[in-house]
């Protein structure tokens, strides 16, 4: 009934009014004894267009959504793509936070200059430093090699599925090797 | 590819647990559900195209790639050859901050689209611009008053 109401309001001239639909038409029941019987089996409420649409939007808000990101088959393509974005945000975020921290720290009494930080780093033992350096340099090396992969794609090379997987494994392996080298430098 | 051959994805779906909604058979995680459909005007209005602008188009894409290609030698030289020079610091500051800003802009456009976030979207965009300006000033101060980007990273790495 609600649908009949809103559908009717979109094109007023084409359909008969609801009261006409409920009333038995004279052509069909002209000789019947049930001429003036009004059938009201459904209770309707009057709603304007806006109210109807907001009621529909409210219903849609409560409906469950189909899962999308949580059920997609894990693949190298989108895993590496999201890793590229995550490492990029981590690197850029570190740069932004360090630069603004360098500006703001003297106002709070601290100083973020290299003398202070390097004296702190010197106290860290070597068996923590090497894995930490690997963990810190890996986002950078992965982002560099995946960035080169993107630039290769921009020259229209390796844009096949085989090419994407080939370059993807190459980026992963090269980044691990480079980070491993840098951890011991 | 090895993962798909082994059916890794099927393993994830087999862990069934019913949360508040019994209609789904996979883990219920609302990753930012889309809002209900709303039509501006009527269904018979023509689609509105964004106005043409020289800043939003292939020129922007070209600029992104030029900055990215420019970053390659500037990052590879200090990282693998160990060079450090004040002019390299200045160039690296400019390209790195531009590259970071362009990357963050893509994230803001993806996760705070204007058609869905009418006020927060542009606000986050302006906050990003302010942050970039602050970062630029901070890196300039670091390069001037302290040792500089390349020399500083080298010192902290070998400390």
């Amino acid at each position: 009934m609600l649908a009949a109401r809103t559908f009717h309001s979109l094109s007023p001239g084409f359909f008969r009014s609801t009261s006409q639909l409920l009333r038995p038409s004279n052509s069909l029941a002209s000789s019947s004894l049930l001429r003036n019987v009004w059938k009201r089996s459904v209770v309707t409420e009057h709603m304007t267009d806006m109210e109807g649409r907001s009621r529909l939007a409210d219903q849609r808000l409560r409906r469950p959504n189909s899962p999308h990101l949580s059920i997609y088959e894990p693949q190298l393509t989108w895993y590496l793509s999201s890793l590229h974005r995550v490492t990029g945000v981590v690197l850029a975020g570190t740069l932004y936070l360090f630069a603004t921290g360098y500006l703001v720290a003297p106002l709070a009494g601290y100083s973020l200059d290299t003398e202070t930080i390097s004296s702190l780093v010197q106290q860290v033992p070597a068996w923590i430093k090497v894995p930490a350096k690997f963990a810190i340099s890996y986002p950078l090396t992965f982002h560099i090699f995946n960035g080169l992969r993107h630039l290769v794609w921009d020259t229209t090379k390796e844009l096949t599925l085989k090419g994407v997987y080939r370059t993807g494994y190459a980026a992963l392996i090269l980044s691990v090797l480079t980070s491993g080298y840098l951890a011991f430098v | 590819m090895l993962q798909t051959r082994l059916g890794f994805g099927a393993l994830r779906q087999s862990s069934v647990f019913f949360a508040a909604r019994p209609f789904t058979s996979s883990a219920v995680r609302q990753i930012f559900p889309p809002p209900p459909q709303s039509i501006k005007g009527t269904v018979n209005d023509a689609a509105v195209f964004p106005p043409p602008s020289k800043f939003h188009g292939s020129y922007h894409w070209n600029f992104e790639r030029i900055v990215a290609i420019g970053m390659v030698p500037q990052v590879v030289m200090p990282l693998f050859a160990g060079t450090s020079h004040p002019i390299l610091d200045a160039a690296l500051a400019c390209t790195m901050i531009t590259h970071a800003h362009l990357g963050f802009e893509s994230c803001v456009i993806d996760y705070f689209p204007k058609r869905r976030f009418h006020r927060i979207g542009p606000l986050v965009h302006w906050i990003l611009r302010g942050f970039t300006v602050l970062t630029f000033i901070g890196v300039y101060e670091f390069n001037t008053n302290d040792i500089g980007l390349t020399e500083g990273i080298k010192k902290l790495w070998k400390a």
Side-chain angles (χ1 to χ4, degrees):
Chain A
M1 265 305 144
L2 196 64
R5 269 227 157 242
T6 51
F7 194 56
H8 150 72
S9 62
L10 278 174
S11 44
F14 190 73
F15 285 85
R16 285 176 280 172
S17 69
T18 320
S19 52
Q20 278 187 320
L21 285 170
L22 286 172
R23 190 189 303 196
S25 60
N26 285 327
S27 57
L28 288 171
S30 53
S31 60
S32 158
L33 286 170
L34 301 171
R35 183 185 304 197
N36 287 321
V37 171
W38 292 69
K39 294 192 185 129
R40 276 218 170 243
S41 51
V42 179
V43 177
T44 61
E45 57 177 287
H46 179 73
M47 266 196 177
T48 60
D49 256 352
M50 288 305 302
E51 283 171 23
R53 250 178 268 156
S54 69
R55 172 76 72 91
L56 186 59
D58 196 49
Q59 285 176 339
R60 281 173 176 158
L61 268 175
R62 291 168 210 280
R63 283 187 202 147
N65 280 300
S66 315
H68 43 288
L69 281 177
S70 45
I71 57 163
Y72 204 102
E73 176 79 24
Q75 287 170 338
L76 197 79
T77 45
W78 63 278
Y79 265 28
L80 289 195
S81 173
S82 38
L83 193 61
H84 187 72
R85 181 164 268 198
V86 164
T87 50
V89 165
V90 158
L91 291 164
T94 313
L95 175 71
Y96 274 40
L97 286 173
F98 176 75
T100 44
Y102 186 80
L103 278 179
V104 164
L107 300 172
Y110 303 103
S111 173
L112 271 178
D113 58 321
T114 46
E115 294 294 329
T116 326
I117 305 181
S118 67
S119 61
L120 282 171
V121 169
Q122 269 166 5
Q123 296 165 14
V124 176
W127 60 272
I128 297 183
K129 254 196 241 179
V130 170
K133 278 199 214 174
F134 180 86
I136 292 172
S137 67
Y138 186 73
L140 179 65
T141 50
F142 177 78
H143 194 84
I144 291 174
F145 284 113
N146 209 19
L148 288 172
R149 186 171 165 233
H150 266 87
L151 288 174
V152 162
W153 285 335
D154 290 332
T155 62
T156 72
K157 294 268 178 294
E158 304 285 344
L159 274 171
T160 63
L161 192 61
K162 274 196 175 13
V164 164
Y165 271 82
R166 215 183 306 149
T167 47
Y169 285 127
L172 274 174
I173 294 169
L174 279 171
S175 60
V176 167
L177 291 175
T178 315
S179 268
Y181 162 72
L182 284 172
F184 290 100
V185 159
Chain B
M1 245 153 78
L2 189 66
Q3 289 174 334
T4 61
R5 296 263 164 80
L6 291 174
F8 189 48
L11 279 176
R12 287 166 77 214
Q13 272 193 357
S14 64
S15 64
V16 171
F17 66 91
F18 289 112
R21 308 233 175 99
F23 298 112
T24 60
S25 63
S26 57
V28 175
R29 256 173 301 175
Q30 295 281 29
I31 306 176
F32 230 165
Q37 181 205 32
S38 63
I39 304 172
K40 292 197 179 62
T42 69
V43 290
N44 292 319
D45 290 343
V48 176
F49 287 90
S53 147
K54 278 205 165 30
F55 285 117
H56 300 89
S58 67
Y59 289 171
H60 186 260
W61 190 93
N62 291 346
F63 181 59
E64 275 185 2
R65 306 304 134 157
I66 289 170
V67 167
I69 293 173
M71 284 211 71
V72 174
Q74 286 173 21
V75 168
V76 160
M77 278 203 325
L79 208 52
F80 299 122
T83 55
S84 58
H85 197 274
I87 299 183
L88 180 61
D89 286 340
L92 202 55
C94 294
T95 39
M96 207 186 271
I97 295 177
T98 318
H99 186 72
H101 181 77
L102 290 169
F104 273 137
E105 262 189 345
S106 316
C107 293
V108 166
I109 293 171
D110 281 346
Y111 303 129
F112 298 96
K114 279 208 196 81
R115 70 178 143 73
R116 186 171 166 185
F117 298 102
H118 307 292
R119 289 180 307 113
I120 308 176
L123 180 69
V124 171
H125 218 140
W126 278 107
I127 291 174
L128 173 68
R129 289 180 188 134
F131 225 150
T132 304
V133 168
L134 276 178
T135 308
F136 199 67
I137 298 172
V139 172
Y140 170 78
E141 290 288 323
F142 185 76
N143 281 344
T144 318
N145 301 337
D146 216 319
I147 330 177
L149 275 175
T150 45
E151 193 62 49
I153 294 179
K154 218 192 329 187
K155 180 173 172 179
L156 290 177
W157 200 255
K158 293 188 200 287

